[in-house]
Amino acid sequence: MPHVLTRSLDRGATLFLIVVVACGVLIPLSNLLLPSGSMFQVPTYLVALFGKYACYAVLALSIDLIWGYCGILSLGHGAFFALGGYAMGMYLMRQIGSRGVYGNPILPDFMVFLNYPKLPWYWHGFDMFWFAALMVVLVPGLLAFCFGWLAFRSRVTGVYLSIITQAMTYALLLAFFRNDFGFGGNNGLTDFKDILGFNVQADGTRAALLALSCLAVAIAFLICRAVVTSKLGKVLIAVRDAESRTRFLGYRVESYKLFVFTLSACMAGVAGALYVPQVGIINPSEFAPGNSIEAVIWVAVGGRGTLIGAALGAVVVNYAKTYFTSGPLAPYWLFMLGAMFILVTLLLPKGIVGTFNTWWEPWKAKRSTVNAESAAREDGVSEPHMAE
């Protein structure tokens, strides 16, 4: 495994990991160690904001893995993100105990309000962190496996697959809105107190969550790089570019697509689990199809099929959202988001990083040729490209 990870890293990937790790270490230390009046001290609200951006970056990486390298355009990945968030939210609700409004040590407040006689069976075990962490990965992964097995076996592709993924997340949205579904209905899960015994509102906890989110970005990026630079990744690219030809050559295309789709869903679930304690709430609005479409826009803006571009697009678009939704342009943010997607599609079809790579590679090759010719002249070789 160390050899696979080392082989999958180039200069750009290494630089990206260094930046992510540096953010995960320096920003929390700046928030905790420097005095509040220092110009280098990062305020607590920015720590929480950067933590959200890191969770979005993990979600964008999961989408880029299937869309950029396998051609699976999922418009329902927000469902896996939300399911991971609900799994973590259930653990956080169980940690409240008797400190809730109604003082019930077993039932969350919304269950007491709705006259639940006892805790539903699917809530059992969420008082243990290891069980909740397992469900964060298992529930989205199991849903993705079942959905993908049915869809890919039926050879549903293209826009039809995108539509049914959107239908899936909309169905979950309607289900989680119901009060009798056992997940808080419209209000969702909120009023969290502790995580692993630490106050979720404390500065130290927020700094630790940011560090964990940055670590999750680094791990997700390493997993994606290991996949796309391996033989498996070559097959995925072949499926993306010519699925029928790849199937004709003897590859079980459905198995490859099912594996990468399930892996992507598990990554999205982890992103949702890290997101919930930082924002303090999880409700059915996270299942909204618009959230999944917005995540696809992050990948398109940053650069589909580049991984680094997906993470960068998530940060850039959400920073723009934070900036523009806090002023007079707030009512027009969705129009601006749509305009951004159209402009990127028309003017930068490869995204920010893809366009940069298109410009950088020819310049790098030309520079290498010039350096080789210069070295050859210094050695007294008049035709450096001919074999001696």
Side-chain angles (χ1 to χ4, degrees):
M1 180 60 67
H3 173 68
V4 172
L5 294 178
T6 303
R7 185 182 60 190
S8 66
L9 297 179
D10 55 15
R11 183 178 301 177
T14 304
L15 180 61
F16 173 79
L17 288 175
I18 292 174
V19 171
V20 171
V21 173
C23 290
V25 174
L26 296 180
I27 294 178
L29 291 179
S30 171
N31 174 256
L32 296 175
L33 301 181
L34 296 181
S36 58
S38 174
M39 62 179 298
F40 297 106
Q41 199 261 356
V42 179
T44 302
Y45 80 92
L46 283 181
V47 173
L49 188 63
F50 291 149
K52 287 173 55 179
Y53 291 167
C55 296
Y56 291 149
V58 176
L59 176 60
L61 285 170
S62 69
I63 294 175
D64 194 30
L65 179 62
I66 58 172
W67 185 35
Y69 292 92
C70 196
I72 303 173
L73 177 56
S74 172
L75 297 181
H77 243 55
F80 307 125
F81 180 85
L83 287 173
Y86 264 98
M88 180 55 65
M90 293 168 71
Y91 164 76
L92 295 173
M93 291 296 291
R94 293 296 307 272
Q95 297 305 299
I96 296 176
S98 58
R99 291 174 294 174
V101 175
Y102 296 99
N104 192 304
I106 302 297
L107 298 180
D109 285 338
F110 75 89
M111 291 188 182
V112 178
F113 179 78
L114 295 174
N115 297 319
Y116 273 66
K118 61 180 181 178
L119 193 71
W121 64 267
Y122 46 84
W123 275 77
H124 290 288
F126 280 94
D127 55 334
M128 299 176 288
F129 181 80
W130 68 267
F131 182 82
L134 179 62
M135 292 299 105
V136 162
V137 177
L138 184 61
V139 172
L142 183 61
L143 175 62
F145 180 84
C146 296
F147 177 87
W149 189 81
L150 294 172
F152 300 139
R153 190 184 181 196
S154 303
R155 298 189 180 181
V156 179
T157 59
V159 66
Y160 302 104
L161 180 65
S162 301
I163 291 173
I164 62 174
T165 56
Q166 196 171 42
M168 174 191 68
T169 188
Y170 189 69
L172 289 171
L173 169 69
L174 297 179
F176 275 77
F177 260 120
R178 295 173 58 91
N179 287 328
D180 58 357
F181 206 59
F183 295 102
N186 183 45
N187 296 322
L189 309 178
T190 187
D191 195 28
F192 307 134
K193 306 293 185 184
D194 299 330
I195 179 170
L196 292 174
F198 298 96
N199 185 357
V200 295
Q201 301 296 331
D203 292 350
T205 305
R206 291 187 178 275
L209 288 171
L210 170 60
L212 284 175
S213 299
C214 290
L215 178 62
V217 174
I219 294 175
F221 180 78
L222 286 173
I223 292 174
C224 292
R225 285 287 301 183
V227 169
V228 302
T229 58
S230 64
K231 293 182 180 180
L232 169 62
K234 304 301 181 185
V235 177
L236 295 178
I237 294 174
V239 172
R240 178 195 68 187
D241 295 338
E243 181 175 338
S244 299
R245 184 176 299 178
T246 306
R247 182 179 287 108
F248 178 76
L249 291 174
Y251 290 97
R252 294 178 62 93
V253 170
E254 296 78 12
S255 299
Y256 286 95
K257 295 171 73 172
L258 181 60
F259 167 77
V260 74
F261 189 72
T262 304
L263 175 62
S264 175
C266 293
M267 292 169 54
V270 172
L274 291 170
Y275 173 83
V276 167
Q278 298 185 75
V279 299
I281 187 172
I282 177 71
N283 57 39
S285 65
E286 296 296 336
F287 287 100
N291 292 345
S292 300
I293 297 174
E294 187 174 334
V296 171
I297 294 176
W298 305 341
V299 179
V301 170
R304 172 191 173 195
T306 60
L307 293 182
I308 296 177
L312 178 64
V315 175
V316 169
V317 175
N318 281 285
Y319 174 78
K321 182 178 182 179
T322 302
Y323 180 80
F324 288 112
T325 54
S326 59
L329 296 176
Y332 310 103
W333 163 246
L334 291 179
F335 296 100
M336 297 172 64
L337 182 65
M340 182 187 302
F341 181 66
I342 294 173
L343 290 176
V344 168
T345 303
L346 295 178
L347 302 179
L348 299 175
K350 296 182 179 180
I352 298 173
V353 174
T355 302
F356 175 80
N357 290 338
T358 302
W359 170 83
W360 171 256
E361 292 300 332
W363 182 86
K364 183 179 178 181
K366 182 179 179 180
R367 182 180 178 184
S368 299
T369 302
V370 171
N371 291 339
E373 292 176 351
S374 176
R377 284 194 297 269
E378 291 177 0
D379 294 338
V381 180
S382 58
E383 295 182 358
H385 298 290
M386 296 179 61
E388 296 183 0

